[in-house]
Structure formats: structure tokens, C-alpha cells
Amino acid sequence: SRKGAMMDNRFATALVIACVLSLISTIYMAASIGTDFWYEYHTLSPAENISEAGRSIWEEFFSKEADEKTYTDALFRCNGTVGLWRRCITVPKNSHWYSPPENDMTTNCISFSLSDQFMEKYIEPGNHNSGTDLNRTYLWRLQFLLPFVSIGLMCFGALIGLCACACRSLYPAIATGVLHFLAGLCTLGLVGCYVAGIELLHKKLPLPDDVKGEFGWSFCLACVSAPLQFMAAALFIWAARTNRKEFTLLKAYRVA
């Protein structure tokens, strides 16, 4: 009886830790999807943005007709940041081109529409006659879909876990663990797709010499979320399988 209580405590601890890891990973994924710092560009000479030429660049950025090359050039020159749903640039609060360089700057964003998310990417960005770049097209679509699949799997796993608690059974925890493992694969796929997409884009549109690009904290949140999902999956599956094994041995012992 004492041994059984010790085993129950061990399983309960594993499940609590798994639930906490699952909750943290869900929060991280939701935060990464909703923020705009997956990739950041830092311009070493931002004063150029105040010039008349700079003004035309960021005005084109907000145009509905802006293609991939147009808004990417603006991101390069205006300390841009890119998320899964929005792109942002830093512009002067005062829109007059003759404003002094010390003028305050503000960040303005524009959202990717649903059609933008599924729009074809071209072999030469901005040139519709260059043909479809299938690699970049499908990488972009996957990086949009995979985070929602990941969160959906974790939420479905949580629902199964609640049913397991109501039934006072650990067996459904295996299904919860499997769903978290699949969610981790989706998150890992998302990270891989995003990195590959950025690298392919920069091969087509190389960074100017005075511009530095780096992955932002939103991207890091997704990177951290994946191992948390795998750890939660391992704990769920371990608790369910070990409890089933111990229960079978205890039952056999009692029968004997």
C-alpha cells in the first residue's frame, strides 16, 4: 500500500510537471505567433530614412500594390521587423522629408492578408514574369499553417487530459503525450521552414553592406517551445506506460 502511494505520488508529480510544460509551451507559441519580431533588420545609417528618397521607400511599403521586393527593400532601409502576420518599419513621426535627423521615430506596421499568406513567390522577387519559386512558396505557406496545427494539437491533448482526470484514469495520457509529440514536430517544422525561407530570400535579395539581419525574440520563443512540447510528451507517455505496467504487476501479485 505504501509502495503504491509512492508510485501514485511519482506519477502525479510527472503529470503536474508535464501540464506545466505544456502550458508554458502554449503561451510561448501564442506569443510568438502574435508578435512581429521573428526577424529584425538593423540599418547602420537610419538618417537616410529622413531624406526624400527614404520617404518614397516607406510610402511604397504601405501601398496595397507593394510586392515582395518593394517591402523587403523598405525593411532593409527602415529598421524593419517581420512576424508571421505583420511587417513593420521605423519611420519619422513627422512625415515631411525636410524634418531634422533628430526627429522622433515611430514604428508602423501592415498586416499580411490571408491572400498574401498563400500568394505565390517568384524566382526573382517582384518580377511576376520570372516564374513561381515553389520552394519559397510552400515554405511560406507551411510557416503560416504549422503554428496553428501545433496549438490545435496541444489544445486537443489538454481536452483529452481533462477527460482522463474526470475518469480518474492515466491511460488517455498516452494519447495526450502523442499529440504533444506531434505538436513538437510541427513547431520544429515551423522553425526549419522559417530559417530556410529567410535564407532563400536573402540569396535572391542580398542584404546591403550597411544592413544587419538577425532572428528576433519571437523566433526564439518558438525555438524554446518545441523542446518543452517534447519534454511534456515524454512525461505524459512515461507516466501512463509505467503506471499501466505497475498496475499489471500489482494485479498479478494479488492474484498469485
Side-chain angles (χ1 to χ4, degrees):
S1 176
R2 183 178 179 182
K3 184 177 179 181
M6 290 177 61
M7 287 189 299
D8 289 341
N9 290 336
R10 188 175 58 179
F11 300 144
T13 301
L15 289 177
V16 169
I17 295 174
C19 290
V20 171
L21 292 175
S22 175
L23 178 61
I24 294 174
S25 65
T26 303
I27 294 173
Y28 281 5
M29 276 301 299
S32 68
I33 293 173
T35 50
D36 310 315
F37 297 91
W38 279 72
Y39 202 85
E40 304 176 23
Y41 297 99
H42 302 285
T43 307
L44 300 181
S45 53
E48 293 180 359
N49 299 336
I50 316 290
S51 67
E52 187 172 8
R55 182 188 175 191
S56 66
I57 289 175
W58 53 261
E59 281 184 344
E60 289 178 358
F61 176 85
F62 296 109
S63 170
K64 292 183 179 180
E65 289 77 27
D67 56 31
E68 186 179 30
K69 186 179 188 306
T70 300
Y71 71 70
T72 301
D73 287 341
L75 290 171
F76 288 167
R77 291 301 178 188
C78 302
N79 290 324
T81 62
V82 187
L84 298 182
W85 277 96
R86 296 200 305 174
R87 55 186 185 267
C88 306
I89 56 174
T90 302
V91 297
K93 284 186 178 179
N94 190 334
S95 61
H96 299 300
W97 64 269
Y98 50 80
S99 299
E102 63 269 21
N103 189 27
D104 291 337
M105 308 293 282
T106 183
T107 299
N108 290 341
C109 301
I110 187 168
S111 299
F112 292 108
S113 67
L114 197 58
S115 60
D116 289 336
Q117 299 287 10
F118 291 94
M119 186 177 293
E120 293 179 344
K121 303 295 181 182
Y122 300 104
I123 294 175
E124 295 179 12
N127 183 358
H128 296 195
N129 299 320
S130 61
T132 303
D133 189 330
L134 292 178
N135 289 335
R136 293 199 307 118
T137 297
Y138 285 104
L139 285 172
W140 184 277
R141 293 174 182 178
L142 284 172
Q143 77 183 33
F144 163 67
L145 293 172
L146 285 175
F148 295 103
V149 174
S150 178
I151 289 183
L153 288 169
M154 284 192 293
C155 291
F156 188 50
L159 183 61
I160 292 177
L162 290 175
C163 293
C165 290
C167 299
R168 296 184 179 181
S169 172
L170 278 177
Y171 296 150
I174 293 181
T176 302
V178 170
L179 289 173
H180 276 72
F181 179 77
L182 294 176
L185 290 179
C186 289
T187 304
L188 206 58
L190 160 66
V191 170
C193 287
Y194 194 84
V195 171
I198 286 291
E199 292 297 324
L200 290 174
L201 174 63
H202 289 165
K203 284 184 179 180
K204 306 285 185 181
L205 299 173
L207 289 172
D209 293 335
D210 60 342
V211 176
K212 178 184 176 183
E214 62 183 5
F215 292 100
W217 59 267
S218 300
F219 174 82
C220 294
L221 286 180
C223 291
V224 172
S225 181
L228 292 178
Q229 290 166 338
F230 287 129
M231 291 166 63
L235 286 172
F236 278 125
I237 295 173
W238 173 84
R241 287 183 61 85
T242 306
N243 182 68
R244 178 180 295 180
K245 184 178 179 181
E246 295 290 347
F247 178 78
T248 302
L249 291 174
L250 185 61
K251 185 177 179 181
Y253 174 79
R254 287 178 176 176
V255 171

